[in-house]
């Protein structure tokens, strides 16, 4: 078990694979296992660094609420601990929000950035979606029920019309050996829903790819366009297929876009 300290908070990380380092930052309520489906391919070409944000996995769950700035400071502390900076990084969903903050506050930590299926600030719809998940947790909903409430926002009808495949995905989520606690989820939720650093995105000079699926209804392409317009010289790619979970549903084009950008 590998740990590092970030301002008194112990955080868990893992490295696997060979080649140049690649940092992977997980989303809301997700631990390092969020990348499990694509790690086998990525680690053939990269030394992949995954970690549990504060509040998830094997990391500490300090009292919340958290801020995105705290979590980007955690990420910068990991980069310093490993001595790999500047390192290319991919941030997925809230991981992309953390990465935006990292690019603003710790610009020397990242060499290239991929903002995957992410947002610049919360919309009313996103607040309502999050309120629903928090209410289900407060009511004591089990893991499969929580996953069932979330899966229509993360997958397209390509997967959802096959109920056998969809339920298998729900069961997989329900069998997470390191489920995020209600306290950890709520603390992270407050961080993402209050984040808004759009006025500082113009200060980012790190080469950045903003990547989203055309079918993403949770963090829609409109939000990706706004991020890309605010980050000078950034590249926007909208893939024709894929929703918020397109990395799992359509991994080939997503990984292709990421690797093409990293190799350029």
């Amino acid at each position: 078990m590998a740990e590092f300290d970030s301002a008194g908070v112990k955080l868990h990380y893992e490295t696997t694979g060979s080649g140049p380092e690649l940092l992977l930052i997980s989303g809301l309520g997700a631990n390092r296992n969020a990348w499990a489906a694509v790690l086998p391919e990525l680690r053939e070409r990269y030394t992949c660094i995954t970690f549990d944000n504060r509040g998830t996995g094997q990391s500490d769950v300090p009292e919340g609420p958290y801020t995105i700035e705290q979590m980007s400071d955690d990420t910068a502390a990991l980069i310093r601990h490993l001595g790999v900076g500047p390192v290319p990084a991919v941030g997925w969903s809230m991981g992309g929000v953390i990465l935006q903050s990292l690019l603003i506050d710790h610009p020397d930590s990242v060499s290239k950035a991929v903002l995957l299926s992410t947002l610049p600030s919360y919309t009313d719809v996103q607040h309502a979606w999050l309120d629903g998940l928090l209410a289900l947790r407060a009511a004591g909903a089990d893991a499969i029920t929580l996953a069932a409430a979330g899966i229509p926002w993360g997958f397209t009808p390509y997967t959802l019309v096959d109920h056998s495949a969809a339920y298998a995905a729900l069961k997989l989520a329900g069998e997470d050996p390191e489920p995020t606690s209600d306290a950890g989820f709520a603390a992270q939720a407050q961080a993402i829903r209050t984040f808004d650093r759009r006025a500082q995105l113009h200060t980012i000079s790190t080469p950045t790819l903003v990547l989203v699926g055309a079918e993403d209804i949770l963090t829609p392409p409109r939000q990706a366009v706004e991020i890309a317009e605010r980050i000078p010289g950034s590249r926007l790619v909208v893939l024709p297929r894929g929703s918020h979970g397109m990395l799992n549903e359509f991994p080939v084009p997503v990984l292709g876009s990421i690797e093409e950008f990293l190799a350029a």
Side-chain angles (χ1 to χ4, degrees), residues 15-257:
T15 59
T16 181
S18 59
E21 289 85 2
L22 177 62
L23 177 66
L24 305 172
I25 311 173
S26 303
L28 174 62
N31 57 39
R32 67 197 181 282
N33 296 319
W35 304 92
V38 295
L39 266 184
E41 181 169 347
L42 284 175
R43 65 191 178 198
E44 290 182 3
R45 290 176 291 283
Y46 303 98
T47 297
C48 296
I49 305 165
T50 57
F51 68 105
D52 299 328
N53 288 312
R54 60 173 63 203
T56 65
Q58 297 180 39
S59 290
D60 286 350
V61 187
E63 184 177 353
Y66 308 154
T67 66
I68 293 299
E69 288 75 17
Q70 281 179 318
M71 288 189 278
S72 68
D73 288 348
D74 292 340
T75 309
L78 172 59
I79 294 170
R80 290 194 301 270
H81 172 76
L82 294 173
V84 297
V87 65
V90 181
W92 184 4
S93 192
M94 188 186 75
V97 175
I98 293 170
L99 184 50
Q100 290 173 59
S101 184
L102 188 68
L103 293 172
I104 294 168
D105 294 335
H106 305 276
D108 295 334
S109 295
V110 180
S111 59
K112 287 189 175 183
V114 179
L115 302 175
L116 173 63
S117 304
T118 192
L119 55 100
S121 65
Y122 249 39
T123 66
D124 289 339
V125 168
Q126 288 160 339
H127 280 297
W129 166 82
L130 186 53
D131 286 340
L133 293 182
L134 290 168
L136 283 172
R137 283 180 170 269
D142 61 39
I144 290 182
T145 299
L146 288 171
I151 196 172
W153 293 87
F155 289 83
T156 69
Y158 177 84
T159 295
L160 296 178
V161 295
D162 184 344
H163 281 200
S164 294
Y167 191 70
L170 296 181
K171 287 186 65 179
L172 186 63
E175 294 167 357
D176 186 348
E178 301 169 16
T180 299
S181 67
D182 293 343
F185 186 89
Q188 288 192 354
Q190 184 64 14
I192 190 172
R193 75 187 321 167
T194 57
F195 175 84
D196 186 352
R197 302 189 68 178
R198 287 175 291 178
Q200 294 166 292
L201 290 177
H202 75 278
T203 67
I204 295 173
S205 59
T206 304
T208 301
L209 169 66
V210 185
L211 181 60
V212 70
E215 300 167 292
D216 193 333
I217 59 174
L218 183 56
T219 55
R222 171 182 67 81
Q223 291 191 305
V225 170
E226 181 177 6
I227 294 171
E229 287 179 342
R230 289 177 179 268
I231 299 178
S234 62
R235 179 184 179 192
L236 173 67
V237 173
V238 181
L239 296 177
R241 294 303 315 270
S243 188
H244 198 65
M246 66 179 180
L247 185 62
N248 289 329
E249 193 176 16
F250 302 106
V252 173
V254 178
L255 291 180
S257 295

